């Protein structure tokens, strides 16, 4: 039986399909497993890093050196694809990881803006959200950290692109005329009604919504036996 966590890993891996030789920057457990899965299967040219100055292979062995100046060149030239988290995200892909409430007097202090503006304006950024709820998928974020399609268009951002948002309920993209969020696929066992009730704005939903694809036998082997044999993925995604 394929678990919900394994569907999420596979959906995250798909974010890097067709990217070629770019630097993958997954943030968090499920995106990290997904990036390594992509590298081991359908994206052999993908570059992985240890988070500091070393390029590593899918097994973690050192493959090259990535000094900070070269890292910045990749960031500002659209040659990196980040997968970040989001405390809030809205229908145009604006993301918040800084605070909840008014910035001058927030009710919750979060991570801070960090590199989200530079990431989203200069290279593709996807998102992983392990708990899909109206508190995360909101009509308008309390503070813009990651830049969405509406603001990027006004700024004329050359490399702005949000390939996908993956949650524990499904996969979402912005393949609509106004770049508003669309339900691209449902994880098996999830209904459109569940997604709509867990989203704080009106999603674009096509007449027929496919299910997220099953991982292949090779991918399941990689996930279960090679990348995450201890099953840490199951702790991040609620069982159904």
């Amino acid at each position: 039986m394929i678990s919900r966590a394994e569907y999420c890993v596979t959906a995250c891996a798909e974010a890097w399909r067709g990217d070629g030789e770019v630097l993958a920057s997954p943030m968090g457990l499920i995106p990290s497993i997904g990036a390594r899965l992509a590298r081991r299967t359908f994206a052999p040219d993908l570059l992985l890093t240890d988070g500091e100055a070393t390029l590593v292979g899918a097994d973690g062995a050192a493959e090259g050196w990535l000094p900070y100046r070269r890292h910045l060149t990749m960031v500002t030239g659209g040659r990196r694809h980040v997968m970040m988290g989001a405390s809030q995200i809205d229908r145009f892909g604006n993301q918040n990881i800084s605070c909840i409430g008014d910035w001058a007097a927030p009710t919750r202090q979060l991570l801070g803006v960090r590199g989200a503006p530079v990431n989203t304006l200069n290279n593709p950024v996807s998102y992983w959200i392990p708990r899909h709820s109206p508190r995360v998928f909101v009509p308008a974020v309390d503070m813009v950290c990651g830049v969405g399609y509406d603001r990027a268009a006004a700024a004329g951002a050359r490399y702005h692109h949000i390939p996908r948002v993956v949650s524990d309920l499904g996969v979402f993209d912005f393949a609509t005329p106004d770049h508003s969020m669309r339900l691209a696929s449902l994880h098996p066992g999830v209904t459109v009604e569940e997604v709509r009730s867990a989203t704080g704005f009106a999603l674009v939903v096509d007449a027929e919504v496919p299910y997220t694809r099953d991982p292949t036998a090779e991918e399941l082997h990689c996930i279960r036996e090679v990348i995450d044999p201890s099953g840490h993925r199951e702790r991040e995604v609620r069982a159904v």
Side-chain angles (χ1 to χ4, degrees):
M1 181 178 177
I2 302 168
S3 71
R4 178 72 58 81
E6 289 162 344
Y7 279 107
C8 291
V9 166
T10 305
C12 286
E14 282 289 332
W16 286 283
R17 185 181 288 276
D19 277 0
E21 192 176 1
V22 303
L23 180 66
S25 293
M27 300 178 186
L29 177 64
I30 297 294
S32 294
I33 297 172
R36 292 174 63 189
L37 177 65
R39 169 68 185 270
R40 284 182 173 274
T41 53
F42 56 78
D45 294 330
L46 201 63
L47 302 178
L48 304 177
T49 176
D50 65 352
E52 294 187 9
T54 304
L55 292 172
V56 299
D59 59 357
E63 287 189 333
W65 182 48
L66 186 67
Y68 199 57
R69 63 182 180 275
R70 291 189 179 275
H71 180 89
L72 288 178
T73 299
M74 298 182 81
V75 170
T76 57
R79 300 303 299 165
R80 183 173 72 152
H81 184 167
V82 182
M83 181 168 279
M84 300 177 66
S87 300
Q88 293 179 327
I89 191 167
D90 69 21
R91 63 191 293 259
F92 292 110
N94 295 291
Q95 170 248 33
N96 175 26
I97 52 172
S98 184
C99 65
I100 302 299
D102 189 326
W103 183 85
T107 58
R108 293 287 187 277
Q109 178 65 52
L110 305 174
L111 289 173
V113 175
R114 302 178 72 87
V118 173
N119 288 342
T120 49
L121 288 174
N122 290 284
N123 50 241
V125 175
S126 294
Y127 293 104
W128 158 242
I129 299 169
R131 296 288 184 271
H132 192 128
S133 80
R135 296 176 63 181
V136 180
F137 288 75
V138 295
V141 298
D142 292 341
M143 179 176 178
V144 176
C145 300
V147 179
Y149 276 100
D150 52 347
R151 286 176 170 82
R158 180 179 177 186
Y159 295 114
H160 178 271
H161 180 43
I162 307 174
R164 61 174 46 198
V165 176
V166 180
S167 82
D168 59 329
L169 298 184
V171 179
F172 308 83
D173 62 22
F174 299 87
T176 56
D178 63 350
H179 291 298
S180 58
M181 193 181 293
R182 179 184 76 113
L183 176 59
S185 73
L186 295 162
H187 299 328
V190 179
T191 66
V192 170
E193 289 70 27
E194 283 181 80
V195 174
R196 280 181 165 148
S197 67
T199 305
F201 54 84
L203 282 164
V204 175
V205 180
D206 295 338
E208 297 291 333
V209 181
Y211 285 114
T212 304
R213 75 165 179 87
D214 292 353
T216 66
E218 178 190 7
E219 289 170 332
L220 281 176
H221 171 76
C222 286
I223 294 169
R224 295 173 178 178
E225 306 298 331
V226 181
I227 302 172
D228 185 31
S230 299
H232 295 303
R233 62 194 177 277
E234 303 299 337
R235 301 177 189 175
E236 186 162 314
V237 180
R238 57 191 170 192
V240 292

